[in-house]
Amino acid sequence: TAEDDGLIIPEVGNWSEHKYRLLSNYCGIFTGGMRGKWNLVYIDLFAGAGYARIRETGTITKTSALLALGTAKPYDHYLINELDNERYTALAQRCQRHANGRSYQTFNLDANAGVEEILRSVPRFNNGRGCLMFCFLDPFSLNLEFETVRTLGQHKVDLMVLLALQMDARRNLSYYMREESVKIERFLGDPGWRERFAKQQQTPGEFMKFLSDEYDERMRSLGYKTEVPKVPIKMDSGVGLYYLAFYSKHERGGEFWDKVRKTACDQYSMF
């Protein structure tokens, strides 16, 4: 938790605590298992303001970037990005306050347009160990473009991705079916997705499953393993909002995620 520091604190639902707990636990097991074997870099492309207020309780919690900065065994370097100017200003000040001497950089860029610039800032380590990265991708909708993921995938990087298959895709199926909408085309990196989806039942549930399957197929084309289950994040009422998906090219990453996933309170099949 954190104290109000007078800077912007976005309000979120209490389901976000589940997401942040999973992220924090993964950072702990990742750095605990890999530190000393690799040079570890944390990347956060949609970092927000660093703090969030839980709507139901009023509690202020640290969010992804600050939780990663606070990992007991730290990463060797942190690359932290937020597009919104007001949130970025708060994030930069909070990172400075909570970094405790840890090496980091902040960026005020569009995640999709700026990913290559951010990756160019990965330090050149001269200790003989390779560089292993972990990237948290927490977009507020399906606005993460697959070309961004493809760019990340050219490096040795594990990914935790928020897939807004319910809070965005399910609710907006009729809009995304219109030819003028390019959001799903960019999300999947495929302008021909409508032709394949047209062969299925045109229901919100089928749309969610279609996007999940298509996304996994594209991740496999980049060399990522897709066998580990996605973790559903839902409201207290049981209504689902989105899924956290984990992708690694190495079995060890999947083993780490499986340990973290099993700590989740909500364990039910995705479909």
Side-chain angles (χ1 to χ4, degrees):
T1 59
E3 298 295 328
D4 194 332
D5 56 5
L7 302 171
I8 184 174
I9 304 177
E11 190 176 78
V12 299
N14 60 4
W15 55 84
S16 294
E17 294 179 295
H18 186 187
K19 172 179 65 178
Y20 294 136
R21 183 167 59 250
L22 287 164
L23 170 71
S24 182
N25 289 348
Y26 185 81
C27 286
I29 195 170
F30 179 80
T31 59
M34 296 289 106
R35 188 166 176 80
K37 302 174 183 177
W38 298 86
N39 297 298
L40 302 180
V41 175
Y42 174 84
I43 304 173
D44 198 326
L45 294 187
F46 301 86
Y51 286 2
R53 189 184 305 275
I54 305 302
R55 183 180 302 113
E56 291 80 2
T57 63
T59 302
I60 299 172
T61 181
K62 295 177 184 177
T63 59
S64 56
L66 296 188
L67 291 172
L69 276 170
T71 301
K73 293 185 178 181
Y75 293 84
D76 295 290
H77 193 67
Y78 298 77
L79 302 172
I80 302 167
N81 179 69
E82 169 55 35
L83 173 61
D84 179 85
N85 289 329
E86 186 178 13
R87 295 185 182 197
Y88 171 76
T89 297
L91 173 70
Q93 292 185 40
R94 288 163 179 158
C95 285
Q96 185 177 34
R97 192 159 65 242
H98 292 284
N100 294 319
R102 296 176 178 184
S103 175
Y104 75 94
Q105 293 167 266
T106 56
F107 303 85
N108 185 203
L109 301 171
D110 178 283
N112 294 305
V115 62
E116 291 185 351
E117 179 179 343
I118 293 169
L119 286 170
R120 285 196 294 270
S121 299
V122 173
R124 294 180 178 235
F125 298 101
N126 297 312
N127 54 15
R129 295 195 296 269
C131 181
L132 178 61
M133 298 184 280
F134 169 64
C135 182
F136 183 54
L137 296 164
D138 187 20
F140 60 86
S141 68
L142 297 175
N143 62 320
L144 171 65
E145 297 178 8
F146 197 75
E147 284 305 310
T148 301
V149 177
R150 192 189 309 278
T151 299
L152 289 163
Q154 294 172 0
H155 302 265
K156 191 179 291 294
V157 56
D158 292 347
L159 306 168
M160 187 184 297
V161 187
L162 184 146
L163 298 176
L165 300 181
Q166 290 173 294
M167 63 188 294
D168 187 352
R170 186 184 186 103
R171 296 176 182 177
N172 297 302
L173 169 59
S174 60
Y175 173 74
Y176 291 143
M177 289 300 293
R178 299 175 187 172
E179 289 294 332
E180 65 268 23
S181 173
V182 297
K183 196 170 188 177
I184 301 302
E185 174 183 333
R186 293 173 177 172
F187 174 69
L188 294 177
D190 180 8
W193 69 271
R194 288 184 184 87
E195 183 178 346
R196 288 191 305 283
F197 181 60
K199 299 175 183 178
Q200 304 185 28
Q201 292 183 348
Q202 309 291 296
T203 66
E206 284 297 318
F207 189 44
M208 288 171 52
K209 187 176 188 308
F210 171 80
L211 291 180
S212 178
D213 292 344
E214 291 277 320
Y215 204 83
D216 280 355
E217 179 62 30
R218 280 154 182 73
M219 293 305 294
R220 285 192 290 272
S221 75
L222 300 181
Y224 283 96
K225 300 179 182 300
T226 60
E227 295 84 3
V228 293
K230 299 173 178 65
V231 174
I233 305 294
K234 61 182 182 178
M235 301 172 65
D236 291 342
S237 63
V239 174
L241 293 169
Y242 51 81
Y243 297 90
L244 281 181
F246 178 83
Y247 300 102
S248 177
K249 296 180 181 179
H250 196 281
E251 291 180 358
R252 188 74 183 278
E255 292 171 1
F256 286 166
W257 176 243
D258 200 46
K259 290 179 181 179
V260 171
R261 182 181 61 83
K262 288 178 179 177
T263 68
C265 296
D266 306 307
Q267 297 192 14
Y268 58 93
S269 175
M270 184 173 177
F271 300 109

